[in-house]
Amino acid sequence: MRKIILLIGLICLVVNILLGITLSSYSTFNMGLNCAVIMLNIFLLYILNSITLRDAFKISLGLLFSFFGLIEFILGLKAVEQFENNLALVSIIIIGAIEAILLVITTINSKTIK
């Protein structure tokens, strides 16, 4: 499963870069931001499938991370081309932090449940 995650993530990354190069309305800032979003979600899904968790946690977190990744990608498309006062960028950072916190919490909970 981990190889599939890496392969699909790599394909998404390549497609994102190609779209950024070919579409004039897709700015370099948004392309870079969405590349970071894709890499973050690939990393989280890879870790999710690498650690020992209960099956229910793996399935539900996998779906939740994919859904959050889609939301982050859409926010990355709509983000203003600046770092300062960028609400979309702040939202992406907060959602990424929530994903990481959920992964830590479920890892700890999965070890305590027998």
mmCIF file of all heavy atoms in Angstrom, residues 71-100:
data_model
loop_
_atom_site.group_PDB
_atom_site.id
_atom_site.type_symbol
_atom_site.label_atom_id
_atom_site.label_comp_id
_atom_site.label_asym_id
_atom_site.label_seq_id
_atom_site.Cartn_x
_atom_site.Cartn_y
_atom_site.Cartn_z
ATOM 1 N N ILE A 71 -9.488 19.548 0.294
ATOM 2 C CA ILE A 71 -9.833 20.899 0.760
ATOM 3 C C ILE A 71 -8.607 21.797 0.714
ATOM 4 O O ILE A 71 -8.675 22.948 0.258
ATOM 5 C CB ILE A 71 -10.430 20.851 2.182
ATOM 6 C CG1 ILE A 71 -11.799 20.193 2.144
ATOM 7 C CG2 ILE A 71 -10.523 22.248 2.783
ATOM 8 C CD1 ILE A 71 -12.402 19.936 3.506
ATOM 9 N N GLU A 72 -7.456 21.286 1.166
ATOM 10 C CA GLU A 72 -6.222 22.070 1.135
ATOM 11 C C GLU A 72 -5.834 22.428 -0.304
ATOM 12 O O GLU A 72 -5.375 23.537 -0.571
ATOM 13 C CB GLU A 72 -5.077 21.295 1.793
ATOM 14 C CG GLU A 72 -5.198 21.173 3.281
ATOM 15 C CD GLU A 72 -4.176 20.231 3.863
ATOM 16 O OE1 GLU A 72 -3.729 19.296 3.170
ATOM 17 O OE2 GLU A 72 -3.810 20.426 5.030
ATOM 18 N N PHE A 73 -6.024 21.488 -1.215
ATOM 19 C CA PHE A 73 -5.697 21.743 -2.619
ATOM 20 C C PHE A 73 -6.579 22.848 -3.195
ATOM 21 O O PHE A 73 -6.099 23.753 -3.882
ATOM 22 C CB PHE A 73 -5.848 20.456 -3.437
ATOM 23 C CG PHE A 73 -5.342 20.582 -4.833
ATOM 24 C CD1 PHE A 73 -3.994 20.453 -5.110
ATOM 25 C CD2 PHE A 73 -6.212 20.834 -5.886
ATOM 26 C CE1 PHE A 73 -3.518 20.573 -6.402
ATOM 27 C CE2 PHE A 73 -5.746 20.959 -7.182
ATOM 28 C CZ PHE A 73 -4.391 20.821 -7.441
ATOM 29 N N ILE A 74 -7.872 22.791 -2.895
ATOM 30 C CA ILE A 74 -8.795 23.827 -3.372
ATOM 31 C C ILE A 74 -8.430 25.183 -2.767
ATOM 32 O O ILE A 74 -8.441 26.210 -3.455
ATOM 33 C CB ILE A 74 -10.256 23.438 -3.069
ATOM 34 C CG1 ILE A 74 -10.656 22.231 -3.923
ATOM 35 C CG2 ILE A 74 -11.207 24.605 -3.324
ATOM 36 C CD1 ILE A 74 -11.970 21.590 -3.536
ATOM 37 N N LEU A 75 -8.092 25.189 -1.487
ATOM 38 C CA LEU A 75 -7.647 26.436 -0.858
ATOM 39 C C LEU A 75 -6.367 26.954 -1.517
ATOM 40 O O LEU A 75 -6.184 28.153 -1.689
ATOM 41 C CB LEU A 75 -7.420 26.231 0.639
ATOM 42 C CG LEU A 75 -8.665 26.112 1.506
ATOM 43 C CD1 LEU A 75 -8.290 25.668 2.920
ATOM 44 C CD2 LEU A 75 -9.426 27.416 1.533
ATOM 45 N N GLY A 76 -5.479 26.029 -1.894
ATOM 46 C CA GLY A 76 -4.247 26.410 -2.568
ATOM 47 C C GLY A 76 -4.500 27.018 -3.942
ATOM 48 O O GLY A 76 -3.767 27.884 -4.391
ATOM 49 N N LEU A 77 -5.543 26.551 -4.603
ATOM 50 C CA LEU A 77 -5.911 27.131 -5.903
ATOM 51 C C LEU A 77 -6.429 28.555 -5.753
ATOM 52 O O LEU A 77 -6.195 29.411 -6.596
ATOM 53 C CB LEU A 77 -6.980 26.281 -6.589
ATOM 54 C CG LEU A 77 -6.555 24.933 -7.148
ATOM 55 C CD1 LEU A 77 -7.777 24.168 -7.653
ATOM 56 C CD2 LEU A 77 -5.535 25.107 -8.250
ATOM 57 N N LYS A 78 -7.154 28.796 -4.669
ATOM 58 C CA LYS A 78 -7.787 30.093 -4.453
ATOM 59 C C LYS A 78 -6.925 31.077 -3.666
ATOM 60 O O LYS A 78 -7.332 32.208 -3.455
ATOM 61 C CB LYS A 78 -9.122 29.908 -3.707
ATOM 62 C CG LYS A 78 -10.125 29.035 -4.432
ATOM 63 C CD LYS A 78 -10.569 29.708 -5.697
ATOM 64 C CE LYS A 78 -11.608 28.854 -6.401
ATOM 65 N NZ LYS A 78 -12.032 29.446 -7.652
ATOM 66 N N ALA A 79 -5.747 30.642 -3.231
ATOM 67 C CA ALA A 79 -4.902 31.484 -2.382
ATOM 68 C C ALA A 79 -4.405 32.712 -3.137
ATOM 69 O O ALA A 79 -4.117 32.666 -4.332
ATOM 70 C CB ALA A 79 -3.709 30.686 -1.861
ATOM 71 N N VAL A 80 -4.313 33.811 -2.420
ATOM 72 C CA VAL A 80 -3.754 35.043 -2.962
ATOM 73 C C VAL A 80 -2.239 34.866 -3.071
ATOM 74 O O VAL A 80 -1.622 34.179 -2.261
ATOM 75 C CB VAL A 80 -4.093 36.231 -2.026
ATOM 76 C CG1 VAL A 80 -3.566 37.532 -2.573
ATOM 77 C CG2 VAL A 80 -5.589 36.304 -1.796
ATOM 78 N N GLU A 81 -1.622 35.496 -4.049
ATOM 79 C CA GLU A 81 -0.194 35.312 -4.308
ATOM 80 C C GLU A 81 0.685 36.152 -3.390
ATOM 81 O O GLU A 81 1.499 36.955 -3.842
ATOM 82 C CB GLU A 81 0.109 35.644 -5.766
ATOM 83 C CG GLU A 81 -0.537 34.707 -6.736
ATOM 84 C CD GLU A 81 -0.119 35.005 -8.152
ATOM 85 O OE1 GLU A 81 1.027 35.430 -8.372
ATOM 86 O OE2 GLU A 81 -0.951 34.812 -9.039
ATOM 87 N N GLN A 82 0.525 35.968 -2.091
ATOM 88 C CA GLN A 82 1.376 36.638 -1.105
ATOM 89 C C GLN A 82 1.342 35.824 0.180
ATOM 90 O O GLN A 82 0.413 35.076 0.425
ATOM 91 C CB GLN A 82 0.887 38.060 -0.837
ATOM 92 C CG GLN A 82 -0.487 38.129 -0.209
ATOM 93 C CD GLN A 82 -0.965 39.550 -0.041
ATOM 94 O OE1 GLN A 82 -0.428 40.459 -0.629
ATOM 95 N NE2 GLN A 82 -1.983 39.741 0.778
ATOM 96 N N PHE A 83 2.377 35.981 0.983
ATOM 97 C CA PHE A 83 2.433 35.260 2.246
ATOM 98 C C PHE A 83 1.717 36.016 3.362
ATOM 99 O O PHE A 83 1.124 35.404 4.240
ATOM 100 C CB PHE A 83 3.889 34.992 2.655
ATOM 101 C CG PHE A 83 4.522 33.889 1.873
ATOM 102 C CD1 PHE A 83 5.461 34.166 0.897
ATOM 103 C CD2 PHE A 83 4.181 32.575 2.105
ATOM 104 C CE1 PHE A 83 6.049 33.150 0.172
ATOM 105 C CE2 PHE A 83 4.754 31.544 1.397
ATOM 106 C CZ PHE A 83 5.693 31.832 0.410
ATOM 107 N N GLU A 84 1.773 37.316 3.309
ATOM 108 C CA GLU A 84 1.188 38.131 4.369
ATOM 109 C C GLU A 84 -0.327 38.211 4.208
ATOM 110 O O GLU A 84 -0.846 38.395 3.110
ATOM 111 C CB GLU A 84 1.782 39.531 4.330
ATOM 112 C CG GLU A 84 3.264 39.554 4.573
ATOM 113 C CD GLU A 84 3.874 40.905 4.232
ATOM 114 O OE1 GLU A 84 3.182 41.744 3.649
ATOM 115 O OE2 GLU A 84 5.042 41.090 4.556
ATOM 116 N N ASN A 85 -1.036 38.082 5.323
ATOM 117 C CA ASN A 85 -2.491 38.200 5.366
ATOM 118 C C ASN A 85 -3.183 37.270 4.375
ATOM 119 O O ASN A 85 -4.153 37.643 3.723
ATOM 120 C CB ASN A 85 -2.934 39.644 5.111
ATOM 121 C CG ASN A 85 -2.359 40.598 6.124
ATOM 122 O OD1 ASN A 85 -2.238 40.268 7.303
ATOM 123 N ND2 ASN A 85 -1.982 41.773 5.671
ATOM 124 N N ASN A 86 -2.695 36.044 4.265
ATOM 125 C CA ASN A 86 -3.239 35.071 3.329
ATOM 126 C C ASN A 86 -4.070 34.064 4.115
ATOM 127 O O ASN A 86 -3.544 33.130 4.720
ATOM 128 C CB ASN A 86 -2.099 34.389 2.573
ATOM 129 C CG ASN A 86 -2.580 33.629 1.374
ATOM 130 O OD1 ASN A 86 -3.743 33.267 1.282
ATOM 131 N ND2 ASN A 86 -1.666 33.389 0.444
ATOM 132 N N LEU A 87 -5.371 34.256 4.110
ATOM 133 C CA LEU A 87 -6.276 33.402 4.883
ATOM 134 C C LEU A 87 -6.263 31.956 4.405
ATOM 135 O O LEU A 87 -6.332 31.028 5.214
ATOM 136 C CB LEU A 87 -7.693 33.976 4.833
ATOM 137 C CG LEU A 87 -8.725 33.319 5.736
ATOM 138 C CD1 LEU A 87 -8.302 33.412 7.189
ATOM 139 C CD2 LEU A 87 -10.083 33.949 5.534
ATOM 140 N N ALA A 88 -6.139 31.754 3.098
ATOM 141 C CA ALA A 88 -6.099 30.387 2.566
ATOM 142 C C ALA A 88 -4.851 29.657 3.056
ATOM 143 O O ALA A 88 -4.914 28.483 3.431
ATOM 144 C CB ALA A 88 -6.147 30.415 1.047
ATOM 145 N N LEU A 89 -3.721 30.347 3.079
ATOM 146 C CA LEU A 89 -2.477 29.750 3.552
ATOM 147 C C LEU A 89 -2.562 29.409 5.042
ATOM 148 O O LEU A 89 -2.137 28.328 5.465
ATOM 149 C CB LEU A 89 -1.307 30.691 3.275
ATOM 150 C CG LEU A 89 0.086 30.197 3.636
ATOM 151 C CD1 LEU A 89 0.419 28.931 2.871
ATOM 152 C CD2 LEU A 89 1.112 31.276 3.351
ATOM 153 N N VAL A 90 -3.143 30.295 5.817
ATOM 154 C CA VAL A 90 -3.340 30.035 7.251
ATOM 155 C C VAL A 90 -4.255 28.822 7.444
ATOM 156 O O VAL A 90 -3.996 27.958 8.288
ATOM 157 C CB VAL A 90 -3.909 31.284 7.956
ATOM 158 C CG1 VAL A 90 -4.321 30.972 9.378
ATOM 159 C CG2 VAL A 90 -2.898 32.419 7.935
ATOM 160 N N SER A 91 -5.299 28.728 6.647
ATOM 161 C CA SER A 91 -6.225 27.594 6.735
ATOM 162 C C SER A 91 -5.524 26.284 6.389
ATOM 163 O O SER A 91 -5.739 25.261 7.051
ATOM 164 C CB SER A 91 -7.416 27.802 5.799
ATOM 165 O OG SER A 91 -8.113 28.965 6.138
ATOM 166 N N ILE A 92 -4.682 26.315 5.375
ATOM 167 C CA ILE A 92 -3.936 25.112 4.992
ATOM 168 C C ILE A 92 -3.009 24.678 6.126
ATOM 169 O O ILE A 92 -2.916 23.486 6.443
ATOM 170 C CB ILE A 92 -3.145 25.369 3.689
ATOM 171 C CG1 ILE A 92 -4.105 25.489 2.506
ATOM 172 C CG2 ILE A 92 -2.120 24.274 3.440
ATOM 173 C CD1 ILE A 92 -3.466 25.983 1.232
ATOM 174 N N ILE A 93 -2.341 25.615 6.755
ATOM 175 C CA ILE A 93 -1.441 25.302 7.866
ATOM 176 C C ILE A 93 -2.215 24.708 9.033
ATOM 177 O O ILE A 93 -1.801 23.716 9.649
ATOM 178 C CB ILE A 93 -0.646 26.551 8.288
ATOM 179 C CG1 ILE A 93 0.323 26.957 7.177
ATOM 180 C CG2 ILE A 93 0.094 26.323 9.600
ATOM 181 C CD1 ILE A 93 0.958 28.311 7.363
ATOM 182 N N ILE A 94 -3.363 25.289 9.351
ATOM 183 C CA ILE A 94 -4.182 24.790 10.470
ATOM 184 C C ILE A 94 -4.707 23.391 10.175
ATOM 185 O O ILE A 94 -4.666 22.506 11.046
ATOM 186 C CB ILE A 94 -5.320 25.774 10.788
ATOM 187 C CG1 ILE A 94 -4.751 27.051 11.406
ATOM 188 C CG2 ILE A 94 -6.356 25.149 11.712
ATOM 189 C CD1 ILE A 94 -5.743 28.173 11.581
ATOM 190 N N ILE A 95 -5.190 23.154 8.961
ATOM 191 C CA ILE A 95 -5.692 21.821 8.608
ATOM 192 C C ILE A 95 -4.559 20.799 8.659
ATOM 193 O O ILE A 95 -4.745 19.676 9.155
ATOM 194 C CB ILE A 95 -6.372 21.844 7.223
ATOM 195 C CG1 ILE A 95 -7.652 22.667 7.275
ATOM 196 C CG2 ILE A 95 -6.688 20.426 6.753
ATOM 197 C CD1 ILE A 95 -8.288 22.921 5.918
ATOM 198 N N GLY A 96 -3.366 21.168 8.172
ATOM 199 C CA GLY A 96 -2.214 20.270 8.254
ATOM 200 C C GLY A 96 -1.840 19.944 9.689
ATOM 201 O O GLY A 96 -1.494 18.802 10.014
ATOM 202 N N ALA A 97 -1.911 20.941 10.558
ATOM 203 C CA ALA A 97 -1.624 20.703 11.984
ATOM 204 C C ALA A 97 -2.671 19.780 12.600
ATOM 205 O O ALA A 97 -2.328 18.901 13.405
ATOM 206 C CB ALA A 97 -1.570 22.032 12.728
ATOM 207 N N ILE A 98 -3.929 19.972 12.229
ATOM 208 C CA ILE A 98 -4.994 19.101 12.739
ATOM 209 C C ILE A 98 -4.761 17.668 12.294
ATOM 210 O O ILE A 98 -4.927 16.722 13.083
ATOM 211 C CB ILE A 98 -6.381 19.616 12.293
ATOM 212 C CG1 ILE A 98 -6.719 20.912 13.023
ATOM 213 C CG2 ILE A 98 -7.466 18.570 12.521
ATOM 214 C CD1 ILE A 98 -7.953 21.621 12.486
ATOM 215 N N GLU A 99 -4.354 17.480 11.037
ATOM 216 C CA GLU A 99 -4.059 16.134 10.549
ATOM 217 C C GLU A 99 -2.933 15.489 11.359
ATOM 218 O O GLU A 99 -3.032 14.320 11.754
ATOM 219 C CB GLU A 99 -3.663 16.179 9.072
ATOM 220 C CG GLU A 99 -4.784 16.471 8.135
ATOM 221 C CD GLU A 99 -4.318 16.619 6.703
ATOM 222 O OE1 GLU A 99 -3.288 17.280 6.468
ATOM 223 O OE2 GLU A 99 -5.005 16.071 5.821
ATOM 224 N N ALA A 100 -1.865 16.235 11.598
ATOM 225 C CA ALA A 100 -0.736 15.695 12.362
ATOM 226 C C ALA A 100 -1.141 15.366 13.800
ATOM 227 O O ALA A 100 -0.766 14.318 14.336
ATOM 228 C CB ALA A 100 0.421 16.689 12.352
#
